[in-house]
Amino acid sequence: MTHHEIYHEVDIVVKNRLLRDSDEINQRVVHLQEVLNHIYYPTMEQMLKLFELKWDDRESEIVCFLGCCPVFPRNVITKEYYVNHNTVDDKLIKASIHELNHFVLFEKWKSMHGYDRATEPIHPEPLWFLEEIAIDPTLNEELMQKVAPYPQTAYQQFYEQTIDGMSVMDQIKKIYIIRENMADFLDKAHMYITSNIDEIVHKCG
Amino acid sequence: MSAFVKKFIESNIRLEQEKYKEISFFMGPISSIMIGVSAMFIPKITVKKIDAEYNVRFVSELLSSEFNQNNTLNLKIKFTRK
């Protein structure tokens, strides 16, 4: 089956779904904007403090798109993420906090090392792994949980797969705990991932 | 094929949503935190409806990559797609 044939089929199914759910999606847009307004600003403020980051005011908007989304993609460069429109509020908030963490980490990394590429880090680049693994130690910080009480977990593989007898996540958490500052953590965690990238990809996928 | 597409979408939406389980939601405490006013610049957040053409392109590309050589659909999303 060719991509064109698949596109044709998807075009029918997705557009029918969007048309059928149009009113519901429009209502969800209004509702979720209100819900996110409550939690977003205190969460973002705390996250920026945690990452010791002054946000570049040229990046003035983060956009959450609602639609027919079998997976929830994001783009750390454009600061956009996508969720399925019927995702319940609390799951959408948890997903949003997860994505915000990726955006903030990416901006912190940019402030440290610059980033000239037009495309965002993708699997299996070390920075992609860092974004995904750092979710746990940073978002489960007590100060973060006070404003955004949603315990967060990274992909299960990072907790299960070991390198030199220690799980990937435990190693990253160890680096996090003894960090001098957030930049120090990101550099050392990135170095650890880079040094073990072949084994991480082999074991974690 | 449309049945496959529908099944693919439904199946993966469920998988995706299950990733965000173990939720606790405390709107009361969160609302009270909003009393403070931040001095730092924080970008605004906006919720929008997806563009239909983008939605079609995104799902069809996802499906195309899942469509393996045996002409069957692998309904399990690999974690690298996140």
Side-chain angles (χ1 to χ4, degrees):
Chain A
M1 192 166 199
T2 67
H3 177 70
H4 180 75
E5 290 169 325
I6 290 175
Y7 186 96
H8 178 70
E9 293 287 340
V10 170
D11 188 71
I12 296 168
V13 172
V14 169
K15 284 183 178 171
N16 280 343
R17 172 73 69 90
L18 290 176
L19 190 63
R20 185 195 74 187
D21 297 346
S22 180
D23 289 346
E24 183 189 341
I25 295 173
N26 290 334
Q27 288 170 11
R28 291 288 288 162
V29 165
V30 174
H31 171 71
L32 289 171
Q33 182 70 61
E34 286 181 16
V35 169
L36 281 180
N37 283 345
H38 277 283
I39 191 167
Y40 168 76
Y41 291 100
T43 300
M44 197 63 172
E45 179 176 2
Q46 194 59 53
M47 213 181 291
L48 292 175
K49 286 178 183 171
L50 177 66
F51 276 81
E52 298 143 8
L53 175 66
K54 183 177 181 295
W55 188 271
D56 184 344
D57 59 13
R58 289 171 297 183
E59 304 274 1
S60 61
E61 186 177 29
I62 290 170
V63 181
C64 168
F65 284 101
L66 300 183
C68 182
C69 304
V71 295
F72 298 174
R74 65 161 180 276
N75 187 318
V76 297
I77 293 177
T78 61
K79 309 292 182 293
E80 297 168 338
Y81 64 101
Y82 299 79
V83 292
N84 199 58
H85 68 84
N86 66 2
T87 303
V88 297
D89 289 4
D90 49 6
K91 288 181 180 175
L92 186 137
I93 293 171
K94 186 171 184 178
S96 296
I97 295 166
H98 179 115
E99 302 308 335
L100 292 176
N101 189 265
H102 289 316
F103 297 156
V104 170
L105 188 152
F106 180 72
E107 286 302 307
K108 179 66 180 181
W109 187 264
K110 265 173 60 180
S111 74
M112 294 161 54
H113 301 290
Y115 192 89
D116 296 329
R117 286 165 45 189
T119 56
E120 62 175 345
I122 58 171
H123 179 276
E125 294 174 44
L127 188 51
W128 181 90
F129 277 103
L130 179 58
E131 286 177 3
E132 293 298 343
I133 299 171
I135 285 292
D136 184 321
T138 56
L139 288 181
N140 291 322
E141 274 272 7
E142 188 179 348
L143 287 173
M144 285 306 308
Q145 287 295 310
K146 278 185 179 174
V147 292
Y150 297 84
Q152 299 269 355
T153 53
Y155 288 113
Q156 197 59 34
Q157 296 97 308
F158 302 134
Y159 300 91
E160 294 170 349
Q161 298 299 327
T162 61
I163 293 176
D164 296 330
M166 184 182 283
S167 76
V168 174
M169 183 58 79
D170 281 346
Q171 183 62 52
I172 296 294
K173 283 183 175 177
K174 187 177 161 189
I175 296 169
Y176 184 79
I177 289 168
I178 61 173
R179 73 191 185 281
E180 292 175 9
N181 50 44
M182 188 57 78
D184 179 61
F185 161 66
L186 294 177
D187 274 340
K188 287 177 179 167
H190 188 267
M191 195 182 305
Y192 164 78
I193 294 167
T194 302
S195 301
N196 296 283
I197 190 66
D198 291 342
E199 197 170 350
I200 290 173
V201 171
H202 175 70
K203 290 182 172 177
C204 298
Chain B
M1 180 59 191
S2 290
F4 271 120
V5 174
K6 286 175 184 170
K7 186 179 178 188
F8 177 85
I9 291 170
E10 296 298 344
S11 170
N12 284 301
I13 285 172
R14 192 171 61 253
L15 280 173
E16 191 76 2
Q17 291 177 342
E18 283 175 358
K19 285 196 297 199
Y20 301 101
K21 56 188 177 184
E22 298 173 5
I23 305 290
S24 57
F25 185 50
F26 306 104
M27 184 54 94
I30 291 167
S31 299
S32 64
I33 292 166
M34 287 298 291
I35 294 169
V37 178
S38 172
M40 67 172 69
F41 175 77
I42 297 176
K44 69 175 181 178
I45 191 164
T46 309
V47 182
K48 294 180 180 177
K49 187 176 180 178
I50 198 169
D51 173 73
E53 294 300 333
Y54 177 83
N55 203 155
V56 170
R57 197 163 61 246
F58 154 58
V59 175
S60 61
E61 286 173 2
L62 184 67
L63 258 172
S64 291
S65 64
E66 289 295 321
F67 199 75
N68 67 25
Q69 293 177 341
N70 296 321
N71 282 4
T72 58
L73 287 171
N74 176 7
L75 296 179
K76 184 182 177 186
I77 290 291
K78 296 176 184 67
F79 90 125
T80 53
R81 300 200 183 285
K82 187 171 181 181

